[in-house]
Amino acid sequence: MGARFGTPSGGFGGRRRGGDDDLAEVHEINVTPFIDVMLVLLIIFMVAAPLATVDLGVDLPASAIEPAPRPDKPVFVTVKPDLTVAVGEDIIARDALTGTLDTATNNKKDERIFLRADKAVSYGDLMEVMNLLRNAGYLKIALVGLDGRS
């Protein structure tokens, strides 16, 4: 009997060699591992989502008190875009802030100081002025802004 030679594709004429040893090539994606991973991720997000919320349920009481009236002569401290400080309409040096406020408030350290600053003023510069006010003994500081309800 003669020798058999295989075809260039490696097969032997469409017949299987050796029985059931060879497995047929599968051209479908096995989605079972993908589904397992997705279920694990779903469980992780279901557990982590309630922990990520910061919303605290607090039932606040209503207030029937009228808003505090604006003082007759409020003391405004203004920080301008060039970082100069003004008390009222007068531009002053930062070193003279304590003395000028003492004069404007008649040495009443518990009087509320209204602090306003330009949008261009950085947070750090605003905090420097607030620290000057606090060091001068003025602890009641109100930040002034525009009413955005238009």
Side-chain angles (χ1 to χ4, degrees):
M1 308 238 187
R4 291 178 89 188
F5 295 103
T7 60
S9 63
F12 285 92
R15 290 185 285 168
R16 289 192 178 176
R17 183 176 131 196
D20 291 324
D21 293 349
D22 294 335
L23 295 176
E25 216 175 291
V26 177
H27 296 286
E28 297 175 5
I29 296 174
N30 187 2
V31 295
T32 305
F34 179 70
I35 292 172
D36 292 343
V37 169
M38 294 305 292
L39 287 174
V40 168
L41 288 175
L42 177 67
I43 291 170
I44 289 172
F45 284 121
M46 286 173 60
V47 170
L51 299 176
T53 58
V54 187
D55 190 21
L56 296 175
V58 178
D59 189 17
L60 296 175
S63 175
I65 299 174
E66 291 290 322
R70 186 174 174 179
D72 293 333
K73 191 176 178 189
V75 178
F76 285 100
V77 175
T78 307
V79 183
K80 297 189 175 214
D82 59 354
L83 302 181
T84 57
V85 176
V87 175
E89 300 294 324
D90 302 324
I91 296 175
I92 60 166
R94 289 187 184 213
D95 299 339
L97 182 63
T98 303
T100 307
L101 282 176
D102 289 343
T103 304
T105 62
N106 296 325
N107 287 330
K108 295 180 186 172
K109 301 286 186 183
D110 62 340
E111 189 168 332
R112 187 168 308 278
I113 305 297
F114 293 91
L115 179 62
R116 56 187 175 183
D118 192 88
K119 284 183 182 180
V121 175
S122 72
Y123 183 71
D125 294 325
L126 183 65
M127 287 303 298
E128 284 181 24
V129 175
M130 287 182 73
N131 286 334
L132 289 173
L133 291 172
R134 189 174 13 190
N135 291 338
Y138 294 96
L139 302 178
K140 292 185 176 181
I141 302 169
L143 298 176
V144 179
L146 294 177
D147 189 9
R149 298 175 291 166
S150 298

